[in-house]
Amino acid sequence: MAPFSLFNKTSDINGFYAMLIVNRLQILYFILILPMYLVHPYMILGIVIIGIFSQINLILFSKWFTSNFSGQGYSAFVQLFGERKFRFFVLFGLIPMLLKIIVLTLNYVEAIHQFIFPSMNMLWLVLAILLISFYVSSKGMENTIHFVVIAFLFSFWVILCFIPFFFPPFASLSDLYPLIPTSWSMNSWKSLLFLWSSFSGPEYLICISPWFKRGQTIFKYLTYGNLVSVVEFLISFISSLLFFGSNYLSKTNYPIVTMARYLQSPIIERIDMILLSLHMFHFVFIISFLILSFYGGIRIVFKRVHKQTTRIGFLACCAVIFTSIAVVNQWFWEPGIKDNLWLSLEIWSSSVTFLLVPALLLAAIKLKGRSLE
Amino acid sequence: MKHLKPVLLIVILSSNIFFTGCSPFVDNNEIEEIAPVTFWSINPGAGGKLEISTLGPPLVKEHKRLLSLKVDLLKQGGKDFNLKYYRELKSGQLRMVLINEELAKKGIMPIINTLLTDPDISQRLYLVIVKGNFDEYIKNQVKSQPNLDYFLYRMLRHYEKKKQGEMSIINLHQFKKLLYSPFSDPILPVFKAQQTNFIYHGTAIFKDDYLKGIAHGVDDQIFQLVNNDYYLKFLPIPKYSVVLGNIRSKVHKKMNENDSKLSIRIDVNGRIEEYRGAKDIQNSIELEKFNKEIETYLEKQTLDLFKNLQQLQADPFKIGTLTLGPISKPMSEKEWLKHWKTLKVNVDYNIKIHPLTSVHE
Amino acid sequence: MFWKQSDRDKSESHRDKRAVNLQNLKEMLSNMEDAEIIERETNNSEKIIFIYIRTLINQERLNEAIVVPLIQSSYASVCDCITNSKVSILSTLKEAETQLLFGSVLVFNQKQNVWCSVPLKNTTGRSIETSETETILYGAKDSFSEQIETNITLIRRRLPKTELKVEKFTIGTYSETTVMLMYIDGLTNPEFVKIARNELTNINFDLFFDSSQIAAFMEDHHHSIFPQFLQTDRPDVCAYSLVMGKITMLIDNTPFALVAPITFFHLLQSPEDYINRWPVASFLRGLRYISFIISITLIPFYVALTTHHYEMIPLQILYVLVESRSKLPFTPFWEAFLMLIILEIIKEASLRMPTKSSQTLGVIGGIVIGQAAVEAGFASKVLIVLVGISTIAAFLCPNYLLTKANTLIQFIFLIFSSFMGIIGIALGMIGILAHLNGLTSLKQPYFAPVSPFYGRDWLDLFIRGPLIWMKRRPEHLRTLQKWRYRSRR
């Protein structure tokens, strides 16, 4: 049997993939529920502002990619933090990663459960999606990174389906008023936090930093990715405002899917089922990417970095992920997405990681640079 | 060590099956085993119950009959039908819900919410208010017209597609959006069911989810003209024995600075389709005069309609949205309704009739 | 296992070392009816021995080209005497055997006491005919035949350049099949040549009678249903591929050449694409992609809709469907499964049947299966229509191996869709795409211009861009010469 290698590097990947991955990571799940958290028309401005903040964060982050450390992968981190401390960091990082996988999978499956198979046992869907993700990730990190192109091609154009909502009879300008916040409450802060966590995701690029081509201006591509995300968020939010109106929007679950349900084609009605299925491409890519990162993290924690990857190790990781999802689903999950404890946890954790990871890396590089002098 | 891998695999797989249980599906949706219902007709029953009925079997060329039931809850009806009929009735293809006028007066929110929360049911479900006994009509017609429900659906679809201003067709989503937005109130089409006829009657005007009034006849025409912003196929004005046709219309609604006066200017651009009056409309001066008369008449009618609406505290024309601005703080719904009741309305018609040169005496 | 191999090697090496003499040769040729050993005397009364295998040489030319000149000559050596072909002097018995079996005549000259071999290969075989597997309306009509020399000629005529290199490999312990590895020096990525050389020398098997077997040994993924080498019998396709920077392998005794590295998209491209006007060619290519997708998803989609998602069907169509399905004994899955299996049987039968009885097949297939199945209530009319569409759509794909693979994918999708409806089809799609994404052909990514992404190559991917814009060679082949034209300096 050929050796089972997941983290082989045969060729460099260029910034183009960084762009796609950043965009897909940011869009992912939140696009399905984003509008119902923002609700007020003035949050259009919120999207733009948070997009700019995210851009600033990406500037910090791109400093890491231009530094000498990024290409070296594991050894660079060991150099920066020391092995023991780094393993501790990784252990700490595994928690938000696992949380992300659990929450995203369960939320997406819940959407399918609600709109396509109301009578199906949710765990079957989880199993099916995870199995296919395991398959994708078993092809190795490089192939998984390449898979983003396919995921992008199959899911990107979905946003274009909402363009008709920008035209009459759906659209009336009054649905977008007022554009300036006239009152501010705790909920508005929450919406902004939610937006910030929606923009999170690019921090996971550090898991694949050794694959990137050296000396390339990744920053440019990160900017593009971020920009595309902002545009997608804007399209989805504005079109849902036009479709529902602010008041009705606050009372709708999965507004984007509901909008898709309203679309019709002459051959097939209920386009939402097809669109939701297509969203799975996107979703499976992210999950497989996270699974591989998770496995890589586990290997670092257990000091297995320099050994060959094994099927058993990988399968064990998959089993751990599935089991944790199953356990959460069975005993701790409350259906419904509003005021869901797990979703809030995920929002907080992803916001914190997105805020801290670039800053931490930059600080470490600066400190190291000073100590070398 | 050698057997570790298969053992591990079996453990993982079996634990998966243990977790997930065996059968993924409990629902049978195979189309030969189900009967997808295309419409529900909901009537008030005795003692606060609902009486729901549909035509069965749907879609198949079999002998059809009216199935009806008295139930407490809408979905309960769905279940009880299955006990009554040999195929399982499913609501995924539900296209029309016909609600009795009497029921609508008591509020239709529970019905609407039930329909809305069912993920099987399309948002494009047509809602119709029925005056009279629809079941009776179905019973009489089912022999001569077995696919009655289908044709009814096609009719509603036809008039929805290109809004020609003949009927106000509203689907579930539109109703809900109108209902929830603070500055508008929903409307629905009203059909009159007689023994052998089922005819469009007018537009039902709601305040929240309560049916408050029905605009029919000329009122409905004006309603269409104001609501349907761009085109009207026919505008009959029986008082002046005239039918205007192919009307391109433009409605300008304007609120003054302090939101105390609403002025509506309606530009109508069409031609005379039919005239049975005594005037010599070939004569341009006469025509001008005639034009003025129609304008004054329509202005008066429209003002009456608005007065009525103000009295009902209903705002189906979304007048309230005119008070909104990009940077101003919006009124609350209560404030607006108070405001709406006392709002001054000014209506101005601007009719242009194409000269009738092709007709010679 | 190990000792067997070493045993054989020992006897081989033993034979290698043995000297060429009449006795050894006779021993070698014992019990071979078609081997002939003839002794003659020349005019100078020297003894000359001819050894050859009758069935492998051109007997008509034996006399005039070898025997007569030698007998009548007064020259000193065989080499001098026979001038029109390459005469080599043999030193070992192994050499003698190889030459003999490749259609040479062994000549022994007593005076010089050397064994020489004179090639006199018999070239009976098909003449150059039109390709039947890749028919096109316009464009060159010639195709490869079984003779490797002829095939090389066909390519060489198209590429008269010394940079076109041909390397010879002999593989197969019993078949001794000649494989010619062709590439353009200074253009083709040397990595491909290196990998191909390596793979070819490592092949260890007894008999090859088709190029697909060689492909099977060289493939990186043996269990995939997708062909990783392009099999073509068109010299123009080979020439085009060579110029684009691919390698080509010609195999003796088979008309199909192997082209590598290919991508999945090559399987859906036809040589005719480059003959049609570009908008037309793009349209046709798009049609091919669409019909490929239709052929694998249409029936599963039908099953998904009729078993799980009745609410997706527009009411107008639902009327037709319910009407035609209401009296069927089978569930949609079994209905579709049975019809597809029957269709496959018909397709397979029509391949095997003699042409004269194929008309019967058409009648049985068309009337009995189609019409009668509906009337008897085994299948719905809608399904028959869909099966017909998807079958015809499958034939739009120019690659026959992919057409066959299609059916298998369709069945897999069918099971997925009956199990999980639309979600099942999406899962299947992801699986197939992930599989394609992980495949390699000659260690190069199989899904290439898409993933990994090469934007410039998209000009000749889903559309066929105008030729004047395609001035660069495909980026994913990483050729040594990037531009397709020579700058006029």
Side-chain angles (χ1 to χ4, degrees):
Chain A
M1 227 189 250
F4 181 67
S5 45
L6 290 173
F7 300 108
N8 263 8
K9 183 187 169 187
T10 56
S11 63
D12 285 327
I13 58 170
N14 55 25
F16 180 75
Y17 295 95
M19 174 181 109
L20 296 187
I21 293 172
V22 163
N23 170 250
R24 291 294 94 180
L25 273 167
Q26 287 181 331
I27 296 296
L28 188 59
Y29 170 68
F30 293 117
I31 194 127
L32 291 180
I33 53 168
L34 181 77
M36 63 178 281
Y37 275 83
L38 302 185
V39 173
H40 301 291
Y42 53 76
M43 278 297 165
I44 296 171
L45 268 184
I47 293 178
V48 176
I49 289 167
I50 298 291
I52 292 169
F53 274 117
S54 147
Q55 182 60 34
I56 293 168
N57 207 26
L58 287 178
I59 294 175
L60 298 183
F61 195 41
S62 67
K63 288 266 182 347
W64 158 257
F65 280 101
T66 46
S67 77
N68 290 327
F69 293 104
S70 79
Q72 299 164 21
Y74 176 72
S75 59
F77 289 109
V78 172
Q79 239 180 66
L80 279 179
F81 302 107
E83 206 206 327
R84 194 170 270 273
K85 219 192 261 172
F86 175 54
R87 272 178 34 219
F88 178 71
F89 273 133
V90 171
L91 185 66
F92 222 67
L94 287 179
I95 298 165
M97 217 185 272
L98 189 62
L99 188 69
K100 204 177 179 79
I101 297 177
I102 292 173
V103 173
L104 296 189
T105 313
L106 282 178
N107 270 325
Y108 175 67
V109 165
E110 203 170 281
I112 293 185
H113 186 252
Q114 183 167 351
F115 287 100
I116 305 184
F117 292 126
S119 65
M120 193 177 188
N121 188 340
M122 266 175 51
L123 267 178
W124 272 99
L125 282 170
V126 173
L127 181 67
I129 291 172
L130 280 185
L131 278 181
I132 206 82
S133 305
F134 296 155
Y135 177 69
V136 172
S137 51
S138 74
K139 298 272 168 192
M141 189 54 122
E142 208 168 74
N143 280 327
T144 306
I145 294 170
H146 289 160
F147 192 73
V148 73
V149 184
I150 296 170
F152 187 80
L153 280 180
F154 272 84
S155 56
F156 173 73
W157 54 268
V158 169
I159 200 81
L160 301 180
C161 291
F162 299 121
I163 297 291
F165 294 123
F166 282 84
F167 297 100
F170 301 104
S172 69
L173 207 57
S174 59
D175 280 327
L176 299 181
Y177 292 151
L179 281 170
I180 304 289
T182 48
S183 60
W184 199 258
S185 67
M186 198 55 207
N187 267 333
S188 315
W189 286 115
K190 266 189 192 161
S191 306
L192 286 185
L193 178 73
F194 183 83
L195 258 177
W196 175 253
S197 80
S198 300
F199 276 103
S200 79
E203 70 267 24
Y204 287 96
L205 282 186
I206 52 165
C207 305
I208 52 167
S209 61
W211 272 271
F212 284 109
K213 210 183 226 169
R214 301 292 308 125
Q216 232 193 356
T217 47
I218 295 242
F219 174 64
K220 189 175 77 183
Y221 291 102
L222 293 182
T223 309
Y224 290 155
N226 197 48
L227 198 68
V228 175
S229 310
V230 170
V231 171
E232 276 187 62
F233 281 141
L234 281 178
I235 290 179
S236 66
F237 182 51
I238 293 177
S239 62
S240 63
L241 271 180
L242 292 173
F243 183 71
F244 291 105
S246 165
N247 237 8
Y248 184 18
L249 183 61
S250 61
K251 295 179 174 63
T252 314
N253 264 3
Y254 297 107
I256 297 289
V257 191
T258 312
M259 277 159 72
R261 276 174 77 191
Y262 198 72
L263 293 169
Q264 261 184 343
S265 80
I267 308 163
I268 291 291
E269 295 182 351
R270 306 292 179 86
I271 306 285
D272 62 315
M273 295 193 182
I274 294 175
L275 297 188
L276 208 55
S277 314
L278 280 172
H279 193 66
M280 196 151 63
F281 275 86
H282 180 178
F283 192 79
V284 163
F285 160 71
I286 301 286
I287 295 291
S288 5
F289 172 69
L290 288 176
I291 288 170
L292 278 172
S293 306
F294 185 77
Y295 178 48
I298 290 274
R299 277 158 50 82
I300 290 172
V301 171
F302 288 101
K303 290 190 187 174
R304 294 290 177 87
V305 189
H306 300 295
K307 289 184 185 156
Q308 175 72 29
T309 49
T310 57
R311 283 186 176 81
I312 295 182
F314 180 64
L315 279 180
C317 257
C318 297
V320 165
I321 289 168
F322 177 72
T323 317
S324 42
I325 292 178
V327 165
V328 169
N329 180 54
Q330 212 80 339
W331 287 295
F332 302 106
W333 188 260
E334 322 140 26
I337 34 176
K338 275 226 158 163
D339 310 318
N340 185 328
L341 171 74
W342 288 89
L343 191 63
S344 338
L345 260 181
E346 160 62 18
I347 289 171
W348 277 104
S349 87
S350 59
S351 306
V352 169
T353 51
F354 188 37
L355 193 68
L356 285 189
V357 168
L360 201 69
L361 285 176
L362 202 66
I365 292 172
K366 283 275 143 69
L367 280 178
K368 192 77 190 172
R370 202 168 295 162
S371 71
L372 281 178
E373 278 167 20
Chain B
M1 197 62 204
K2 202 177 165 190
H3 298 292
L4 192 66
K5 257 182 249 176
V7 167
L8 205 76
L9 221 98
I10 290 167
V11 168
I12 289 170
L13 280 178
S14 52
S15 70
N16 288 347
I17 291 167
F18 169 76
F19 265 124
T20 52
C22 280
S23 148
F25 283 102
V26 276
D27 221 4
N28 188 346
N29 275 346
E30 279 170 23
I31 58 169
E32 63 264 35
E33 307 213 352
I34 56 167
V37 180
T38 50
F39 77 95
W40 293 118
S41 155
I42 307 173
N43 293 306
K49 287 195 171 193
L50 294 174
E51 191 182 328
I52 60 175
S53 45
T54 187
L55 202 59
L59 303 174
V60 212
K61 279 184 196 143
E62 283 171 27
H63 177 69
K64 301 208 177 189
R65 64 199 167 102
L66 189 78
L67 306 166
S68 61
L69 265 182
K70 282 195 177 59
V71 285
D72 296 309
L73 302 162
L74 187 63
K75 282 279 162 164
Q76 186 197 355
K79 187 197 163 234
D80 289 356
F81 267 126
N82 294 337
L83 308 178
K84 208 176 167 187
Y85 182 63
Y86 62 93
R87 284 203 187 96
E88 189 183 349
L89 294 179
K90 295 253 179 181
S91 54
Q93 285 281 352
L94 197 63
R95 302 300 172 124
M96 297 166 286
V97 167
L98 303 121
I99 302 168
N100 191 283
E101 189 194 5
E102 297 305 314
L103 196 62
K105 279 179 183 159
K106 293 178 201 151
I108 55 172
M109 191 67 127
I111 297 173
I112 299 292
N113 276 343
T114 313
L115 296 173
L116 202 71
T117 46
D118 188 343
D120 277 352
I121 294 175
S122 165
Q123 301 269 305
R124 287 181 182 261
L125 173 82
Y126 297 119
L127 295 172
V128 171
I129 298 289
V130 179
K131 223 174 152 75
N133 196 338
F134 182 68
D135 292 2
E136 202 63 29
Y137 164 71
I138 289 265
K139 266 186 204 158
N140 285 329
Q141 286 294 305
V142 75
K143 290 243 162 58
S144 56
Q145 230 183 330
N147 277 344
L148 191 72
D149 47 346
Y150 180 63
F151 293 122
L152 196 59
Y153 165 70
R154 287 302 287 258
M155 176 185 82
L156 292 174
R157 213 173 119 88
H158 174 79
Y159 289 111
E160 185 204 30
K161 232 179 190 172
K162 300 256 179 282
K163 292 190 163 59
Q164 306 179 57
E166 269 131 339
M167 300 180 185
S168 9
I169 307 290
I170 294 287
N171 62 30
L172 187 57
H173 167 76
Q174 287 162 333
F175 183 83
K176 213 48 185 177
K177 188 182 174 187
L178 289 171
L179 183 63
Y180 272 120
S181 97
F183 302 108
S184 64
D185 286 302
I187 51 169
L188 282 182
V190 182
F191 281 79
K192 210 176 191 168
Q194 291 159 343
Q195 284 286 333
T196 50
N197 276 325
F198 189 67
I199 38 174
Y200 179 71
H201 182 67
T203 305
I205 291 155
F206 281 75
K207 171 76 206 120
D208 293 332
D209 62 317
Y210 299 97
L211 175 69
K212 287 290 176 187
I214 295 172
H216 68 103
V218 181
D219 275 351
D220 187 46
Q221 288 297 332
I222 290 169
F223 195 94
Q224 302 294 346
L225 192 66
V226 178
N227 205 27
N228 198 18
D229 203 357
Y230 67 111
Y231 185 70
L232 209 57
K233 196 146 190 194
F234 294 110
L235 176 64
I237 306 170
K239 197 182 170 194
Y240 291 95
S241 323
V242 70
V243 178
L244 302 182
N246 286 323
I247 293 167
R248 289 255 157 211
S249 65
K250 184 81 203 148
V251 182
H252 308 270
K253 291 177 241 171
K254 221 183 149 196
M255 201 70 104
N256 70 350
E257 285 293 301
N258 54 2
D259 297 341
S260 61
K261 192 176 160 196
L262 169 76
S263 35
I264 301 175
R265 201 181 85 231
I266 302 167
D267 295 335
V268 176
N269 199 345
R271 61 170 201 226
I272 293 179
E273 294 271 320
E274 193 184 351
Y275 180 64
R276 288 206 172 186
K279 287 203 176 66
D280 173 23
I281 53 172
Q282 298 297 319
N283 186 328
S284 61
I285 300 165
E286 284 277 298
L287 186 67
E288 189 62 30
K289 231 167 149 189
F290 185 54
N291 208 347
K292 271 272 134 52
E293 273 173 38
I294 296 176
E295 273 180 22
T296 3
Y297 171 73
L298 285 177
E299 271 158 26
K300 191 184 160 289
Q301 288 291 330
T302 314
L303 259 180
D304 284 354
L305 179 67
F306 269 86
K307 281 244 169 64
N308 258 332
L309 291 175
Q310 277 175 310
Q311 220 126 60
L312 293 174
Q313 289 201 337
D315 176 15
F317 295 129
K318 302 183 211 166
I319 303 295
T321 55
L322 298 176
T323 62
L324 294 174
I327 44 169
S328 60
K329 190 177 157 65
M331 286 188 204
S332 73
E333 192 172 355
K334 256 192 189 147
E335 270 177 87
W336 162 244
L337 283 178
K338 234 164 139 193
H339 200 77
W340 169 233
K341 218 174 167 184
T342 55
L343 194 71
K344 270 185 204 155
V345 183
N346 185 22
V347 182
D348 182 23
Y349 271 84
N350 191 0
I351 300 180
K352 270 188 196 144
I353 298 176
H354 288 243
L356 310 162
T357 45
S358 61
V359 184
H360 295 286
E361 296 262 310
Chain C
M1 211 169 117
F2 189 66
W3 62 268
K4 266 184 198 161
Q5 192 146 0
S6 65
D7 204 31
R8 206 190 67 195
D9 288 351
K10 214 183 272 173
S11 82
E12 294 256 312
S13 65
H14 181 61
R15 182 176 285 179
D16 285 350
K17 281 172 198 151
R18 276 160 70 187
V20 195
N21 57 36
L22 190 60
Q23 198 194 339
N24 283 346
L25 282 168
K26 269 187 179 160
E27 200 176 294
M28 190 171 78
L29 298 176
S30 60
N31 283 345
M32 277 177 73
E33 196 275 329
D34 52 350
E36 308 245 355
I37 303 174
I38 298 168
E39 292 184 22
R40 288 279 183 282
E41 258 183 36
T42 62
N43 295 350
N44 308 347
S45 59
E46 284 165 8
K47 204 166 100 185
I48 288 188
I49 307 172
F50 299 99
I51 302 181
Y52 57 86
I53 293 171
R54 192 173 63 231
T55 46
L56 289 181
I57 64 154
N58 191 342
Q59 293 190 61
E60 286 156 21
R61 291 202 60 229
L62 178 64
N63 252 333
E64 52 171 305
I66 301 174
V67 179
V68 176
L70 274 177
I71 289 174
Q72 294 175 348
S73 81
S74 50
Y75 292 105
S77 73
V78 180
C79 301
D80 293 338
C81 182
I82 299 162
T83 48
N84 59 347
S85 44
K86 184 178 143 198
V87 177
S88 49
I89 294 171
L90 302 169
S91 53
T92 63
L93 195 62
K94 173 78 190 162
E95 253 175 50
E97 184 192 3
T98 317
Q99 287 294 335
L100 206 56
L101 291 169
F102 274 98
S104 297
V105 179
L106 305 190
V107 184
F108 177 68
N109 190 337
Q110 205 176 26
K111 193 170 117 196
Q112 285 167 302
N113 199 18
V114 286
W115 283 89
C116 304
S117 75
V118 185
L120 195 71
K121 205 174 172 182
N122 149 4
T123 51
T124 41
R126 273 192 312 142
S127 58
I128 297 170
E129 288 162 9
T130 328
S131 168
E132 273 177 23
T133 45
E134 293 167 78
T135 42
I136 62 170
L137 225 51
Y138 284 94
K141 302 273 185 197
D142 53 349
S143 73
F144 290 141
S145 63
E146 280 77 7
Q147 275 97 48
I148 196 165
E149 305 284 333
T150 328
N151 297 348
I152 294 174
T153 318
L154 289 177
I155 294 181
R156 275 246 185 251
R157 272 193 207 147
R158 284 175 167 83
L159 300 172
K161 280 280 172 192
T162 49
E163 285 94 337
L164 177 62
K165 304 295 179 198
V166 184
E167 285 180 23
K168 185 180 167 182
F169 294 84
T170 309
I171 57 171
T173 45
Y174 276 93
S175 67
E176 298 276 350
T177 312
T178 309
V179 177
M180 296 288 190
L181 173 66
M182 300 180 91
Y183 59 92
I184 298 181
D185 200 20
L187 189 155
T188 314
N189 190 341
E191 193 191 326
F192 303 166
V193 183
K194 207 174 119 196
I195 294 168
R197 259 188 220 139
N198 197 15
E199 298 273 347
L200 276 172
T201 40
N202 281 339
I203 289 179
N204 189 359
F205 204 54
D206 58 350
L207 170 77
F208 293 95
F209 53 82
D210 188 60
S211 49
S212 61
Q213 294 167 330
I214 293 171
F217 274 89
M218 293 178 71
E219 268 164 6
D220 307 325
H221 306 265
H222 303 290
H223 307 299
S224 173
I225 52 169
F226 293 101
Q228 290 144 49
F229 283 76
L230 185 70
Q231 270 187 300
T232 179
D233 63 349
R234 300 189 58 89
D236 49 350
V237 171
C238 282
Y240 184 75
S241 309
L242 281 169
V243 171
M244 283 297 119
K246 291 172 205 164
I247 59 160
T248 295
M249 278 163 284
L250 293 176
I251 291 101
D252 203 6
N253 296 322
T254 153
F256 289 100
L258 295 176
V259 175
I262 56 158
T263 66
F264 172 74
F265 306 99
H266 281 118
L267 304 177
L268 289 161
Q269 294 171 3
S270 153
E272 221 167 9
D273 286 353
Y274 300 95
I275 294 166
N276 280 322
R277 313 288 307 152
W278 82 262
V280 181
S282 302
F283 168 71
L284 290 178
R285 194 176 273 185
L287 204 65
R288 239 173 273 142
Y289 282 107
I290 290 168
S291 59
F292 175 73
I293 292 167
I294 283 180
S295 71
I296 57 176
T297 56
L298 189 64
I299 305 286
F301 207 69
Y302 165 81
V303 171
L305 289 194
T306 48
T307 27
H308 296 293
H309 312 291
Y310 70 98
E311 61 266 43
M312 282 178 79
I313 311 167
L315 202 56
Q316 297 91 309
I317 301 174
L318 192 66
Y319 266 98
V320 184
L321 265 178
V322 167
E323 192 58 47
S324 81
R325 282 209 52 80
S326 59
K327 286 167 191 92
L328 294 183
F330 306 123
T331 61
F333 170 73
W334 284 108
E335 181 198 11
F337 186 78
L338 290 177
M339 284 318 286
L340 283 179
I341 286 281
I342 289 168
L343 195 81
E344 282 312 304
I345 293 172
I346 295 176
K347 264 157 78 179
E348 190 65 18
S350 69
L351 268 182
R352 308 275 163 259
M353 254 189 194
T355 37
K356 280 187 184 151
S357 45
S358 62
Q359 230 165 16
T360 333
L361 194 78
V363 172
I364 293 175
I367 296 175
V368 177
I369 311 288
Q371 207 170 337
V374 173
E375 269 169 32
F378 285 125
S380 66
K381 288 173 212 161
V382 181
L383 182 75
I384 298 281
V385 173
L386 296 182
V387 165
I389 293 172
S390 77
T391 311
I392 292 174
F395 281 109
L396 249 73
C397 166
N399 190 297
Y400 186 67
L401 292 177
L402 191 63
T403 314
K404 287 272 147 180
N406 245 355
T407 323
L408 214 60
I409 302 172
Q410 199 179 19
F411 276 113
I412 296 168
F413 274 32
L414 200 63
I415 292 165
F416 270 81
S417 74
S418 83
F419 193 62
M420 294 185 85
I422 291 235
I423 292 287
I425 296 179
L427 284 173
M429 283 281 235
I430 295 174
I432 291 275
L433 286 167
H435 172 72
L436 283 170
N437 185 40
L439 275 186
T440 51
S441 158
L442 216 64
K443 305 266 187 295
Q444 308 308 313
Y446 192 60
F447 215 54
V450 173
S451 90
F453 183 80
Y454 293 95
R456 208 182 291 279
D457 295 354
W458 280 54
L459 201 57
D460 188 16
L461 185 71
F462 296 110
I463 60 159
R464 200 276 281 167
L467 281 182
I468 48 160
W469 289 357
M470 301 200 309
K471 284 183 174 166
R472 282 178 182 223
R473 299 213 158 74
E475 226 172 327
H476 71 269
L477 291 170
R478 304 198 308 280
T479 49
L480 299 183
Q481 294 172 24
K482 294 241 167 345
W483 297 90
R484 289 182 69 181
Y485 63 93
R486 205 168 288 169
S487 58
R488 293 198 198 101
R489 253 189 306 162

